[in-house]
Amino acid sequence: NSDLNAYWKTLMEGGVTRQVLEGYERPIKSEPTASPHIAKDLIRDFENYLSILKSVHSGADLKFSIEVCCSQRNYLGLSQALQYCRQFTDKVGNEKALLEATIQARHEVRNAGLKQNAHKHDHEKVRELLYLDLALGGVSSRAVQRAELPKDIVEALEFTVLALEDLCLSLPTSCEDLALSLVEMQRVISSRYQSNGDEKTKYFWALRAKATVDRARMAVATYGDSINSSMQLTAESIGDACKCDQWTIAHFSEEVIRGGPAFGLSLALTRLDKMLRQEANLGAWSIISPKEEKVCGRVEFYPTLREVMNESFREPTILVCDKVGGGEEIPRGAVALLTPSSVDVLSHSAVRARNSDVLFATCHDLTVLDSLCAFVNEFASTKSIGSDSSVKIEHASEAEIAKATKMKLEDDPSTQAWFAGDSSSGSSTPTSSKAKIDLKKKTFCGKFSVSLDDFREGVVGAKSRNTRTLRESLESSNLPPWINLPRSFAIPFGTFDYVLEAPMNKDKKEQFIRLIDQIDDSSGDSLEDTLNQVRSCVKSLTPPQDARKELTRVMKASEISPPETDEQWHKAWEALVSVWASKWNERAYVSLRNRGLTHKNLQMAVLVQPVIDADYAFVVHTTSPANNDENELYAEIVKGLGETLVGNYPGRALSFKADKRTPNSPPVITGFPSKNIALNVPKGTLIFRSDSNGEDLEGYAGAGLYESVTTEVETVTHVDYSKDDMVWNDRGTADQIMSKITEAGIAIEKALGCAQDIEGCVKDGKVYIVQTRPQV
């Protein structure tokens, strides 16, 4: 009615004064202008807007949602669980009971109409049930965050299982790892109550529980990363456009995560991890590459190892990196690498660290790692202590700093191998005794492919030659007859150059030469870009006309079925040129440059074998890499193909050790698996394995620098360890497999005369040895 007195009276009754209006971020200083001709329309719009606000905001209110779903609409009954949640929503002191009630209520809500495809046409019912589920999720999330984790380790694990189940109810079914972690934890709890309670049983129980917690933590971290990647860029765009404070933009996705159900679970898992490490007598560190003598360097923090692997630190550096994968090279000048990332002891990156004599360790206690902030940009000394598997870090003394600062390029010849040579070409003229080895080009044998009998020095690499040695040892009864070897043939050294010279590749050769000259390693980005162009060129090569005929002949002679269709032949050629192209991957290029080896002399033979679609894959070091004990064998095992192990996929492998002096004593498990995926391939798949002249050299392993490529794409399966015979030793599976692997490792070491780095697999109980090399 345009009465301003009524307007102000209504506002005042609601506690809104003129001063309040003028104090808003966007102040309201003028009184409303009367518009009686549109009053009805405005009132209608405001009423609709009020209705929307009530629907949205009161939908998350538990009592209102229960009233709507249970009384007004009768979508489900008012169960004891719902009554408990309504009564004790914010009551402090019995969070476990409240969490149990909310989970039970959320299952009831799903059964009432939120299951997949249930009531999909009744949109109103689905909406109201969703509001109720959101309200219950909010209650459970707050309960988890304010709860004090029980001091009893089993009760703590039980509470964490409830928090994990609640998170699974909040996320889509595509978050399979969280659901599998839940199932594994439930079996771990059950096994505790079924055990006899002796110290050995408790120890192995704690190891199993620790592995399930590790997997759950990775799954939660992956979920957090997905939130960040899906929201943060949009938040930054909107925030910049609205001129928001930069700190609010930078922390937007982080605050979304902290306000969601995963945050409380993450806190519980972190606390539980520490309890389990104490139960299993595990320290804060896992030593990947030990170094008992002190190393001294300047401490520097980086988010990832990848972003600095092309760097050349001009003084010894202790790197602390949040993330370390399996595809990086440790930069020259680094004397130690510390990370919270899980790393398999027998992964290729770990082998290269030991070969480079770099201290490499994983820290499981973030508070310990955070304490290193006190050393940032300062010199510190550190060493690994083998007796308790820990890393000791302290401020460097003046004498240690003085010694370390001499290790610059211009001052200390012993480090010139790190920095020597023309970085743009990858060549060098090293001066230290360690750097005197170099690569020698091999002469093409004139054959496009060769069978096992022709696996000789100068024709193929050490990988192929070791395969022939294994075959000869097996045939001469130097190895147990139950050891199996896959059939093999090889593409010899010089074949790439032969293909490049073929008339049909004339234009590609000219392009290749031009791209090689343009390789630029002045920065990590420029090196990655220019090397990628070279790889693309190599992958575009056309096979010579006689290639298929020659390959067919050698494959039949090697008792390997040749490809049957043009498509299969095309896949085989793609795999071959991909292996050749891996000579120009960034990791390999940097490694050769850092070691002072001439990149242009690197040649690539290729070992070809049928893939055994393994139940389990393993790597064995017949001398323990942790303490160099020649009497102790160490091995790691994963589900499916071995790439998840040697490629250091997220999570840890199952690990065990065995005393070679007492072969009848059972191997001892030292860690259970937490890797979330397994890889498999279809029957008939071939694998083309890199076999360069830059691997297995004295003082330079070169492990995992180049690619191995399958003809068929690997399938990814999320592993359910709760049903895995190996993990639970059902029917003695673990004991049998570990004993066979140990026996094979000891026999191969004896037959070849030195410690071995062995890769193999198990299929239907049979042990296959895929390759072996001298252990660095």
Side-chain angles (χ1 to χ4, degrees):
N1 59 9
S2 304
D3 185 351
L4 290 178
N5 290 328
Y7 165 77
W8 284 112
K9 181 182 178 181
T10 303
L11 289 181
M12 293 291 288
E13 289 173 352
V16 180
T17 65
R18 188 183 297 271
Q19 289 74 23
V20 170
L21 291 174
E22 293 178 351
Y24 289 153
E25 184 178 352
R26 295 184 177 181
I28 300 174
K29 297 181 178 180
S30 61
E31 293 181 329
T33 303
S35 303
H37 60 289
I38 59 172
K40 290 183 178 180
D41 292 333
L42 288 173
I43 291 171
R44 184 194 66 238
D45 291 342
F46 274 115
E47 286 177 342
N48 287 337
Y49 181 55
L50 180 61
S51 176
I52 293 171
L53 288 177
K54 286 183 176 180
S55 296
V56 172
H57 294 286
S58 63
D61 179 80
L62 180 61
K63 294 179 180 178
F64 181 85
S65 293
I66 290 176
E67 175 69 20
V68 170
C69 292
C70 298
S71 300
Q72 297 179 15
R73 309 290 171 82
N74 199 29
Y75 292 148
L76 74 167
L78 183 58
S79 65
Q80 290 184 341
L82 281 170
Q83 291 182 60
Y84 189 95
C85 293
R86 183 174 62 179
Q87 184 176 355
F88 298 102
T89 296
D90 297 311
K91 186 176 178 60
V92 178
N94 197 5
E95 282 76 17
K96 183 180 179 182
L98 180 58
L99 188 54
E100 289 174 330
T102 55
I103 290 173
Q104 175 61 36
R106 295 186 75 182
H107 281 294
E108 292 171 0
V109 171
R110 270 156 174 69
N111 292 333
L114 286 188
K115 285 186 176 180
Q116 192 172 9
N117 295 325
H119 303 283
K120 60 182 179 180
H121 299 300
D122 192 344
H123 301 301
E124 182 179 351
K125 180 176 183 178
V126 171
R127 182 190 66 201
E128 298 300 338
L129 290 174
L130 276 173
Y131 285 150
L132 177 54
D133 187 64
L134 284 170
L136 288 167
V139 171
S140 57
S141 181
R142 292 191 296 274
V144 172
Q145 291 193 33
R146 69 173 181 259
E148 190 69 34
L149 205 63
K151 293 182 179 180
D152 179 81
I153 196 167
V154 179
E155 292 180 4
L157 186 58
E158 289 174 339
F159 182 84
T160 305
V161 165
L162 291 172
L164 179 55
E165 182 176 0
D166 180 68
L167 178 60
C168 290
L169 289 170
S170 298
L171 299 182
T173 55
S174 58
C175 296
E176 191 173 358
D177 281 335
L178 286 167
L180 289 171
S181 297
L182 173 63
V183 175
E184 291 164 26
M185 281 192 185
Q186 289 170 336
R187 178 161 184 182
V188 166
I189 292 173
S190 176
S191 69
R192 179 71 172 223
Y193 291 119
Q194 296 169 3
S195 65
N196 55 24
D198 63 86
E199 290 302 314
K200 182 179 179 181
T201 302
K202 287 182 178 180
Y203 167 75
F204 284 113
W205 179 88
L207 286 182
R208 280 198 185 94
K210 174 71 171 65
T212 63
V213 168
D214 287 345
R215 181 174 185 178
R217 291 180 75 182
M218 286 191 300
V220 171
T222 300
Y223 166 70
D225 290 343
S226 69
I227 293 293
N228 182 71
S229 61
S230 63
M231 287 189 172
Q232 190 58 34
L233 287 177
T234 303
E236 289 172 2
S237 298
I238 296 174
D240 290 339
C242 296
K243 296 181 172 55
C244 297
D245 292 339
Q246 285 301 311
W247 69 269
T248 63
I249 301 173
H251 294 92
F252 179 83
S253 59
E254 179 183 338
E255 290 303 315
V256 171
I257 296 168
R258 291 175 68 89
F263 181 67
L265 173 61
S266 178
L267 295 177
L269 288 168
T270 300
R271 299 188 203 115
L272 182 59
D273 179 77
K274 189 172 184 179
M275 296 171 68
L276 289 169
R277 294 191 68 81
Q278 292 174 345
E279 179 86 355
N281 296 317
L282 300 173
W285 295 90
S286 293
I287 310 301
I288 311 303
S289 173
K291 196 170 179 67
E292 292 190 3
E293 66 272 20
K294 276 188 177 182
V295 295
C296 179
R298 188 180 296 279
V299 177
E300 295 196 17
F301 278 69
Y302 293 96
T304 67
L305 178 60
R306 172 165 292 279
E307 68 190 75
V308 293
M309 77 173 190
N310 192 45
E311 296 293 327
S312 298
F313 294 105
R314 309 303 285 186
E315 55 192 359
T317 303
I318 297 173
L319 291 176
V320 184
C321 298
D322 287 338
K323 289 187 178 181
V324 174
E328 309 95 334
E329 182 67 14
I330 296 175
R332 53 186 173 185
V335 294
L337 173 60
L338 311 177
T339 179
S341 296
S342 293
V343 178
D344 291 303
V345 175
L346 301 187
S347 64
H348 285 151
S349 56
V351 171
R352 293 198 300 273
R354 290 191 288 272
N355 187 222
S356 301
D357 200 25
V358 171
L359 170 62
F360 189 5
T362 293
C363 184
H364 304 283
D365 188 340
L366 293 182
T367 58
V368 173
L369 209 58
D370 289 342
S371 68
L372 293 180
C373 292
F375 298 92
V376 174
N377 293 326
E378 295 184 10
F379 274 88
S381 63
T382 181
K383 68 176 182 178
S384 60
I385 304 171
S387 59
D388 59 359
S389 296
S390 65
V391 174
K392 183 179 180 181
I393 305 164
E394 57 191 8
H395 284 286
S397 66
E398 291 185 5
E400 289 169 334
I401 295 174
K403 182 179 178 180
T405 52
K406 289 182 180 179
M407 297 180 68
K408 292 184 179 181
L409 174 62
E410 60 269 28
D411 296 330
D412 191 346
S414 68
T415 63
Q416 289 184 4
W418 291 346
F419 308 105
D422 178 2
S423 63
S424 63
S425 65
S427 63
S428 66
T429 308
T431 60
S432 71
S433 59
K434 183 179 178 181
K436 287 181 179 178
I437 62 168
D438 202 356
L439 307 178
K440 296 180 180 179
K441 294 204 72 170
K442 313 295 184 181
T443 303
F444 181 45
C445 67
K447 298 179 181 179
F448 193 92
S449 57
V450 294
S451 59
L452 187 72
D453 293 338
D454 290 325
F455 286 8
R456 299 189 302 271
E457 175 72 36
V459 177
V460 293
K463 193 177 295 182
S464 299
R465 299 198 305 275
N466 290 339
T467 300
R468 177 180 176 176
T469 302
L470 280 175
R471 177 69 64 183
E472 292 171 345
S473 297
L474 188 62
E475 291 173 348
S476 59
S477 300
N478 290 330
L479 293 177
W482 48 261
I483 289 180
N484 298 277
L485 304 176
R487 300 292 180 182
S488 306
F489 75 97
I491 312 298
F493 291 131
T495 308
F496 168 73
D497 298 305
Y498 167 75
V499 170
L500 193 64
E501 293 290 343
M504 69 282 295
N505 290 314
K506 180 181 178 181
D507 293 341
K508 295 297 179 183
K509 177 185 176 182
E510 294 175 356
Q511 180 188 13
F512 173 77
I513 293 173
R514 183 175 68 255
L515 291 173
I516 290 294
D517 290 338
Q518 294 173 355
I519 293 177
D520 176 11
D521 71 346
S522 60
S523 70
D525 290 340
S526 63
L527 180 61
E528 182 179 9
D529 181 60
T530 52
L531 289 178
N532 186 52
Q533 294 180 51
V534 177
R535 291 198 303 273
S536 296
C537 177
V538 172
K539 291 178 182 180
S540 68
L541 291 174
T542 301
Q545 294 179 353
D546 59 341
R548 183 182 294 195
K549 181 179 179 181
E550 178 64 13
L551 285 169
T552 299
R553 182 187 66 79
V554 173
M555 291 178 75
K556 287 182 176 179
S558 304
E559 300 181 19
I560 298 173
S561 300
E564 297 178 353
T565 65
D566 288 344
E567 181 183 7
Q568 290 175 337
W569 276 109
H570 178 69
K571 290 179 178 179
W573 179 255
E574 282 188 329
L576 174 58
V577 293
S578 294
V579 176
W580 283 340
S582 69
K583 171 182 174 178
W584 292 274
N585 77 69
E586 188 179 4
R587 174 182 66 240
Y589 190 93
V590 169
S591 179
L592 289 173
R593 183 199 63 193
N594 291 356
R595 188 61 182 85
L597 299 175
T598 307
H599 186 268
K600 67 180 181 180
N601 288 347
L602 192 284
Q603 288 179 288
M604 190 74 69
V606 182
L607 176 64
V608 188
Q609 298 172 321
V611 179
I612 297 149
D613 189 28
D615 299 323
Y616 302 96
F618 61 83
V619 176
V620 175
H621 278 198
T622 58
T623 292
S624 172
N627 52 23
N628 292 322
D629 185 350
E630 295 180 355
N631 295 314
E632 184 176 280
L633 174 147
Y634 178 83
E636 294 180 335
I637 305 174
V638 295
K639 287 276 287 184
L641 301 181
E643 179 59 26
T644 58
L645 170 54
V646 297
N648 198 45
Y649 280 45
R652 291 295 303 273
L654 183 147
S655 58
F656 72 87
K657 61 183 180 180
D659 190 335
K660 294 189 291 186
R661 296 168 298 185
T662 55
N664 293 327
S665 299
V668 178
I669 290 177
T670 57
F672 286 93
S674 59
K675 290 188 182 293
N676 59 342
I677 65 169
L679 301 177
N680 295 95
V681 292
K683 185 177 180 181
T685 300
L686 296 174
I687 186 167
F688 287 68
R689 300 182 184 275
S690 59
D691 189 22
S692 77
N693 62 339
E695 301 172 64
D696 303 328
L697 305 177
E698 184 177 355
Y700 181 72
L705 291 177
Y706 311 101
E707 301 298 330
S708 295
V709 184
T710 56
T711 53
E712 299 294 335
V713 177
E714 296 143 332
T715 58
V716 177
T717 304
H718 290 263
V719 183
D720 182 0
Y721 291 116
S722 70
K723 300 177 181 177
D724 189 82
D725 290 348
M726 184 74 184
V727 171
W728 294 94
N729 200 23
D730 293 338
R731 299 180 294 278
T733 300
D735 292 338
Q736 295 171 20
I737 290 178
M738 291 189 299
S739 296
K740 284 292 186 183
I741 291 173
T742 300
E743 187 179 348
I746 294 172
I748 292 171
E749 180 185 58
K750 182 179 179 181
L752 274 62
C754 64
Q756 294 292 301
D757 174 353
I758 304 165
E759 295 181 24
C761 62
V762 178
K763 178 66 175 178
D764 297 330
K766 296 181 179 179
V767 175
Y768 293 81
I769 302 302
V770 175
Q771 65 181 56
T772 188
R773 57 163 65 95
Q775 181 181 332
V776 298

